Amino acid sequence: MESATTPEVALGSKLKVEEASPADAEGPRASPRQLLPPVEEHPKIWLPRALKQTYIRKVGDTINLLIPFQGKPKARATWTRDGCALDASHVSVRSGEQDSILFIREAQRADSGRYQLSVQLGGLEATAAIDILVIERPGPPQNVKLVDVWGSNATLEWTAPQDTGNTVLLGYTVQKADTKSGLWFTVLERYHRTSCVVSDLIVGNSYAFRVFAENQCGLSETAPVTVDLAHIQKAASIYKAKGFAQRDFSEAPKFTQPLVDCTTITGYDTQLFCCVRASPKLLIETIYKDRVPEKGSPGSLTGTRLYS
């Protein structure tokens, strides 16, 4: 950042001048360098720490750099950019005995470059370089499109913007909006790839997507929106009833309490009781010996036949 050449006149040395005689008038004369005053302070530039790294400003900002230096007697300060002289109509320079000011009212991207300050004193010189970078917002990403939709997910792809704003990109911001509300919500920030998968979309909604590019100045002013919508449909479901096996409740007729032999007196009413179990409904037929007795006539009961 700083360099100096060996002085031709030693510090603190005195120049002795003798009166020249007429005979010496035609002899060799003293060099102009031998008539310069002695250097009391070597030229040196005190570069601020903030300017030892790249000095970044936004388009339209003011650049006002104050660089102090030393050198006695008075040193001469000059500015160049990338080895060329500055444009005096756009860049202002004011140099004093102890500092130099570089001033740009409204910085443009064309003002980016390496500025060099040179302080000269006699045969000595000190230099310092300052890197200035003027940036702005990037352009929008290109060719944003919806690639695929499956389940509650959607795949997006895009390409990098043509203009990065004169600096590197910090990433991309991906947003989604459903057609019902129309509100945009951020799903990814400072995402570095040019493709992504957006998950957890609500079933039954349709979504649009847009992508911003981002650098140190912020997000791009515009963002392209996908032409196609992502329709999150309900999965087709077919109800299959489980097979139901009908249970067989049929049961063969069975006496749980059979008839028993009994004796009765002629002319009296007689009742016989039994318990029968069967499914389906039973048909009971009473069987008599020889014939079915008429009402009021005696008979001989031989059994009961059950039908299911």
Side-chain angles (χ1 to χ4, degrees):
M1 301 294 291
E2 299 178 0
S3 61
T5 59
T6 305
E8 294 183 4
V9 180
L11 182 64
S13 61
K14 296 183 179 179
L15 181 63
K16 183 178 181 181
V17 181
E18 297 180 354
E19 183 179 358
S21 60
D24 298 334
E26 298 179 356
R29 297 182 180 181
S31 172
R33 294 178 179 268
Q34 296 177 347
L35 301 178
L36 294 176
V39 177
E40 299 181 9
E41 285 183 352
H42 289 196
K44 187 174 182 179
I45 299 175
W46 304 98
L47 190 65
R49 180 176 298 178
L51 298 179
K52 293 182 180 180
Q53 300 177 352
T54 301
Y55 184 67
I56 300 177
R57 304 295 291 173
K58 297 181 181 179
V59 171
D61 290 351
T62 299
I63 297 178
N64 188 12
L65 303 181
L66 173 63
I67 311 299
F69 60 85
Q70 70 176 23
K72 285 186 180 181
K74 184 178 179 180
R76 183 171 62 91
T78 57
W79 285 87
T80 58
R81 191 189 72 155
D82 298 331
C84 301
L86 301 179
D87 183 5
S89 62
H90 183 65
V91 182
S92 300
V93 174
R94 184 185 65 81
S95 299
E97 295 184 358
Q98 296 181 348
D99 55 43
S100 182
I101 298 176
L102 175 71
F103 180 79
I104 302 176
R105 185 175 299 277
E106 293 183 359
Q108 303 297 325
R109 289 174 58 170
D111 296 325
S112 301
R114 169 162 288 192
Y115 290 76
Q116 186 176 33
L117 173 61
S118 176
V119 177
Q120 297 177 348
L121 179 58
L124 302 176
E125 181 182 16
T127 60
I130 304 172
D131 292 323
I132 297 178
L133 181 63
V134 182
I135 62 176
E136 61 182 346
R137 290 188 178 187
Q142 305 292 317
N143 304 321
V144 178
K145 60 182 179 180
L146 179 65
V147 178
D148 190 16
V149 178
W150 79 98
S152 60
N153 309 295
T155 302
L156 306 176
E157 285 185 357
W158 62 89
T159 57
Q162 296 179 353
D163 183 11
T164 61
N166 203 28
T167 184
V168 296
L169 293 178
L170 297 180
Y172 301 95
T173 296
V174 181
Q175 295 182 344
K176 67 177 180 180
D178 62 273
T179 55
K180 295 181 180 179
S181 65
L183 301 177
W184 291 99
F185 296 92
T186 300
V187 294
L188 294 173
E189 286 184 309
R190 294 196 175 182
Y191 186 77
H192 296 284
R193 299 182 180 179
T194 55
S195 64
C196 71
V197 176
V198 181
S199 304
D200 299 329
L201 301 177
I202 300 177
V203 175
N205 287 358
S206 298
Y207 291 88
F209 304 92
R210 66 182 182 183
V211 183
F212 290 89
E214 183 180 3
N215 62 8
Q216 292 182 359
C217 287
L219 300 177
S220 55
E221 295 182 357
T222 60
V225 182
T226 54
V227 177
D228 300 327
L229 296 177
H231 303 286
I232 310 302
Q233 300 178 354
K234 296 181 179 179
S237 58
I238 301 175
Y239 176 74
K240 295 182 179 180
K242 295 183 178 180
F244 180 77
Q246 292 288 340
R247 185 175 178 181
D248 187 8
F249 291 97
S250 61
E251 185 178 354
K254 179 180 179 182
F255 279 100
T256 59
Q257 184 65 35
L259 292 172
V260 295
D261 295 338
C262 63
T263 303
T264 183
I265 302 174
T266 304
Y268 286 85
D269 294 336
T270 302
Q271 294 181 350
L272 298 176
F273 296 94
C274 70
C275 295
V276 183
R277 178 178 178 180
S279 180
K281 186 178 180 180
L282 292 174
L283 176 61
I284 304 176
E285 180 183 3
T286 305
I287 302 173
Y288 289 86
K289 182 180 180 181
D290 297 335
R291 62 182 180 84
V292 176
E294 295 180 0
K295 184 177 181 182
S297 61
S300 177
L301 179 63
T302 60
T304 301
R305 182 177 296 170
L306 304 178
Y307 297 92
S308 175

